[in-house]
Amino acid sequence: MIPALPTPSQWLPVFLLLAVLMVAGNLYILTALFPRSGKRPTLATAILLLGILLMSMALWFSGIYAVISPGQASTVSVFIALNSMMAVVGLWAISLLFRAGTKFLPSHGLLWPLGFALLMVGNELLMGLTFVLAQVGPATYSAEGWPGLATLVGDAGTSAWFFWAMLVTMAFLVTWLPIRPRERWVLYGFSASAAVGPWVVPDPEVGAIGMAVVMTGTFVLLVREVWRSAAPAPRYLWVGLGVALGFLAMVAGEALSFLVRSTVWSTFPFGLASFVVMTVEWFLLARWGLAGAVSTAGDETPIPGRAEAPAPASTPP
């Protein structure tokens, strides 16, 4: 396993710069896919932005290759991955010929939100894989054989690179989407679990205490709102149930990692649980953002900063 905090090295400033650039790019993509006006993005915009996320994944794969096998071939692979942006732009241009600029993403559906969630979380995990592999060295993992791959994935999924990048982007998305304050604060509480995530495996006591504090604070907010409301909105109850299930999954992963802490699999259960939980949360929030959170019946509390915009006439049902 790796330490909770990145180890100081000559490459640490480079890793920090790359992480900041990727997070900044993700924040821009969020603002473009979920505009505050309430209008859904066009199909052409979605193709371009999700293509950029695919290109980013290709860059991380080429970075992993460069760490495992440094040399001329890996250098060429990095430049090929950079040039894949031309393919993304080309695909976007072709989509315009088929009038994708006048078509809008469906307000309901599974495919687009799921693809978006997998690309966002997958990029964060690949960044963690690249930096952890560069920090520890490929020889450490290859010496373990195939279980070493599980160790690497677990180390990446429990690293500060993964958790803290997720924390920033998730907190931004929760702030950006038109979510009512009482739901937003519960989601903030759930996102805060990423702040203590890097300590869960290397320092179980600190991780357990941190998770307990975060979960307790979140459930206090949830119960207080339910207690104060004579008839809580169904959506708020669903948000609370989803947060509770997410915490339960992470605690289960934490417990399994503790049980196998003396084996090469020590980081894998919690890393896998974190990846799955984050992906599901991204999927649900993306679906919520496309559907428009203000139109839910039975809860008419105004949302600060939200400007209602009529759906375009060409918007598919």
Side-chain angles (χ1 to χ4, degrees), residues 190-256:
F190 183 67
S191 300
S193 62
V196 297
W199 280 272
V200 167
V201 176
D203 198 338
E205 291 183 357
V206 173
I209 293 172
M211 282 291 183
V213 170
V214 170
M215 287 189 290
T216 301
T218 304
F219 284 125
V220 166
L221 289 174
L222 180 62
V223 172
R224 185 190 66 173
E225 191 60 41
V226 172
W227 183 268
R228 290 168 55 182
S229 178
R235 188 179 66 218
Y236 184 75
L237 297 178
W238 279 114
V239 170
L241 177 61
V243 168
L245 291 176
F247 276 134
L248 180 62
M250 295 186 74
V251 169
E254 182 179 358
L256 285 174

Side-chain angles (χ1 to χ4, degrees), residues 117-151:
L118 289 173
L119 287 173
M120 288 294 292
V121 183
N123 266 288
E124 306 288 5
L125 182 64
L126 287 176
M127 180 177 69
L129 279 168
T130 305
F131 293 169
V132 167
L133 199 58
Q135 175 184 339
V136 178
T140 302
Y141 297 106
S142 62
E144 299 174 355
W146 283 109
L149 179 60
T151 304

Side-chain angles (χ1 to χ4, degrees), residues 45-158:
T45 299
I47 289 174
L48 178 62
L49 296 177
L50 297 187
I52 292 173
L53 288 175
L54 276 172
M55 184 204 71
S56 178
M57 293 187 76
L59 276 171
W60 289 121
F61 275 119
S62 66
I64 291 172
Y65 179 38
V67 173
I68 294 175
S69 180
Q72 184 176 2
S74 60
T75 302
V76 171
S77 71
V78 172
F79 282 100
I80 291 175
L82 285 170
N83 289 332
S84 65
M85 184 63 198
M86 298 303 297
V88 173
V89 175
L91 182 61
W92 170 74
I94 292 173
S95 73
L96 293 177
L97 297 177
F98 291 91
R99 301 182 61 82
T102 62
K103 301 176 182 178
F104 294 81
L105 291 185
S107 59
H108 297 85
L110 302 177
L111 184 59
W112 283 103
L114 180 60
F116 168 72
L118 289 173
L119 287 173
M120 288 294 292
V121 183
N123 266 288
E124 306 288 5
L125 182 64
L126 287 176
M127 180 177 69
L129 279 168
T130 305
F131 293 169
V132 167
L133 199 58
Q135 175 184 339
V136 178
T140 302
Y141 297 106
S142 62
E144 299 174 355
W146 283 109
L149 179 60
T151 304
L152 173 59
V153 173
D155 284 352
T158 58

